[in-house]
Amino acid sequence: LHALPHNAHKILWDQLDVGYFMRHPADEIAWHTRQISKPLALRPEGSPVPTLVRARLSPEGEGLQVLVYANDQSDLFARICGYFDQAGFSILDAKIHTTLDGQALDTFQVVTHTLSEHYRELIAMVESGLTQTIMACGPLPNPAKPRLSRRSKSFPVIPRVDLQPDEKGQRWVLSVTASDRAGLLYCIARVLAKHQINLELAKVTTLGERVEDTFLISGVALQRTREQLAIETELVEALEGNV
């Protein structure tokens, strides 16, 4: 932990449940701990938890791995996805987690065509730009114009949305399938943010030109049949590129 006290990691780890440790590999947990523990250990007692954005070359696969640690809010996921959409990044993977004390601890794998040439500049840009985006208030930006690949145009995937309650009916599992395109995850996130849906977990899977994403969500709107139907309809429109 780079000269921090022996138990410095406990500040963070005491706020993490078993699910976090099951979903992240050991090297990723170590990276999170190094990046977050030091600012938490050094902050004055009683001061707010700092917003942290850290990026590195992805240890597996291509692109950058981006860590976000910030106060959780209903539109946080949408703001993050909106930044990547506007900056020209494609999101290959997203792991969403909320700590026991209400902090969002999210990890994204993103790619862009300029990565190999200017990765140091890109890392600095993401860390600075995404931090400013998270801390800024105001409406979410409009999504960029949908950009389907040539293969997706030739072999389109029929958009599907499935929303099912869990055993207790308090949280819902949202599954979406569609053709992959830049900005798709942001379009989904905007719909959820519009209806003040809380995102608790996300599994983003890209299989060639096909996207299969699963979200664990909650919110008052999901308890109302009319709003639930509106959410499903808006999600289908988003997957079709109509919003």
Side-chain angles (χ1 to χ4, degrees), residues 6 32 65 133 157 166 181 186 199 201 208 223:
H6 176 65
H32 290 173
Q65 192 175 53
T133 297
V157 177
D166 67 3
R181 72 167 192 270
Y186 178 47
L199 179 61
L201 292 173
Q223 307 299 330

Short mmCIF file of all heavy atoms in Angstrom, two decimals, residues 6 32 65 133 157 166 181 186 199 201 208 223:
data_model
loop_
_atom_site.label_atom_id
_atom_site.label_comp_id
_atom_site.label_asym_id
_atom_site.label_seq_id
_atom_site.Cartn_x
_atom_site.Cartn_y
_atom_site.Cartn_z
N HIS A 6 -0.34 -0.42 8.02
CA HIS A 6 -0.61 -1.82 7.70
C HIS A 6 -2.10 -2.09 7.45
O HIS A 6 -2.45 -2.87 6.56
CB HIS A 6 -0.10 -2.72 8.84
CG HIS A 6 -0.43 -4.16 8.66
ND1 HIS A 6 0.11 -4.91 7.63
CD2 HIS A 6 -1.27 -4.98 9.34
CE1 HIS A 6 -0.36 -6.15 7.70
NE2 HIS A 6 -1.19 -6.23 8.72
N HIS A 32 -7.90 -1.28 -7.02
CA HIS A 32 -8.90 -0.45 -6.36
C HIS A 32 -8.42 0.00 -4.98
O HIS A 32 -8.54 1.18 -4.62
CB HIS A 32 -10.22 -1.24 -6.19
CG HIS A 32 -10.94 -1.50 -7.46
ND1 HIS A 32 -12.05 -2.30 -7.51
CD2 HIS A 32 -10.73 -1.07 -8.72
CE1 HIS A 32 -12.50 -2.36 -8.76
NE2 HIS A 32 -11.70 -1.63 -9.51
N GLN A 65 -8.85 0.56 -18.56
CA GLN A 65 -9.71 0.20 -17.43
C GLN A 65 -9.86 1.46 -16.59
O GLN A 65 -8.87 2.09 -16.22
CB GLN A 65 -9.09 -0.93 -16.62
CG GLN A 65 -10.05 -1.54 -15.61
CD GLN A 65 -9.44 -2.75 -14.92
OE1 GLN A 65 -8.36 -2.67 -14.38
NE2 GLN A 65 -10.14 -3.87 -14.94
N THR A 133 -17.11 15.84 -15.14
CA THR A 133 -18.47 15.46 -15.56
C THR A 133 -19.29 14.97 -14.38
O THR A 133 -20.47 15.32 -14.23
CB THR A 133 -18.40 14.37 -16.64
OG1 THR A 133 -17.73 14.88 -17.79
CG2 THR A 133 -19.79 13.90 -17.03
N VAL A 157 -29.71 -7.51 -34.99
CA VAL A 157 -30.26 -8.28 -33.88
C VAL A 157 -31.57 -7.62 -33.45
O VAL A 157 -31.60 -6.41 -33.22
CB VAL A 157 -29.27 -8.32 -32.69
CG1 VAL A 157 -29.89 -9.07 -31.51
CG2 VAL A 157 -27.96 -8.97 -33.11
N ASP A 166 -37.42 -9.72 -8.61
CA ASP A 166 -36.74 -10.76 -7.88
C ASP A 166 -37.73 -11.47 -6.96
O ASP A 166 -38.93 -11.19 -6.98
CB ASP A 166 -35.53 -10.21 -7.12
CG ASP A 166 -35.93 -9.27 -5.98
OD1 ASP A 166 -37.14 -9.08 -5.74
OD2 ASP A 166 -35.03 -8.71 -5.32
N ARG A 181 -23.57 -0.97 -30.89
CA ARG A 181 -23.26 0.31 -31.54
C ARG A 181 -22.68 1.25 -30.50
O ARG A 181 -22.89 1.07 -29.29
CB ARG A 181 -24.50 0.93 -32.18
CG ARG A 181 -25.52 1.49 -31.21
CD ARG A 181 -26.55 2.36 -31.93
NE ARG A 181 -27.35 3.12 -30.99
CZ ARG A 181 -28.49 2.71 -30.45
NH1 ARG A 181 -28.96 1.53 -30.77
NH2 ARG A 181 -29.15 3.48 -29.60
N TYR A 186 -25.20 4.25 -23.05
CA TYR A 186 -25.63 5.56 -22.57
C TYR A 186 -27.12 5.76 -22.82
O TYR A 186 -27.83 6.31 -21.97
CB TYR A 186 -24.83 6.66 -23.26
CG TYR A 186 -25.26 8.05 -22.86
CD1 TYR A 186 -25.46 8.39 -21.52
CD2 TYR A 186 -25.47 9.05 -23.81
CE1 TYR A 186 -25.85 9.66 -21.15
CE2 TYR A 186 -25.85 10.32 -23.45
CZ TYR A 186 -26.05 10.63 -22.12
OH TYR A 186 -26.44 11.89 -21.75
N LEU A 199 -29.40 1.83 -10.16
CA LEU A 199 -28.67 0.70 -10.73
C LEU A 199 -27.75 0.11 -9.66
O LEU A 199 -26.88 0.80 -9.13
CB LEU A 199 -27.84 1.17 -11.93
CG LEU A 199 -26.99 0.12 -12.63
CD1 LEU A 199 -27.88 -0.99 -13.18
CD2 LEU A 199 -26.17 0.75 -13.74
N LEU A 201 -26.34 -3.38 -9.88
CA LEU A 201 -25.34 -4.22 -10.52
C LEU A 201 -25.54 -4.16 -12.03
O LEU A 201 -26.67 -3.99 -12.50
CB LEU A 201 -25.44 -5.68 -10.05
CG LEU A 201 -25.08 -6.01 -8.60
CD1 LEU A 201 -25.42 -7.47 -8.31
CD2 LEU A 201 -23.61 -5.74 -8.33
N GLY A 208 -19.31 -10.15 -30.37
CA GLY A 208 -19.23 -9.72 -31.75
C GLY A 208 -20.07 -8.48 -31.97
O GLY A 208 -19.82 -7.44 -31.39
N GLN A 223 -42.71 -0.22 -9.38
CA GLN A 223 -43.86 -0.77 -8.66
C GLN A 223 -45.19 -0.35 -9.30
O GLN A 223 -46.25 -0.81 -8.89
CB GLN A 223 -43.83 -0.32 -7.19
CG GLN A 223 -42.51 -0.59 -6.47
CD GLN A 223 -42.16 -2.07 -6.41
OE1 GLN A 223 -43.03 -2.93 -6.36
NE2 GLN A 223 -40.86 -2.37 -6.40
#
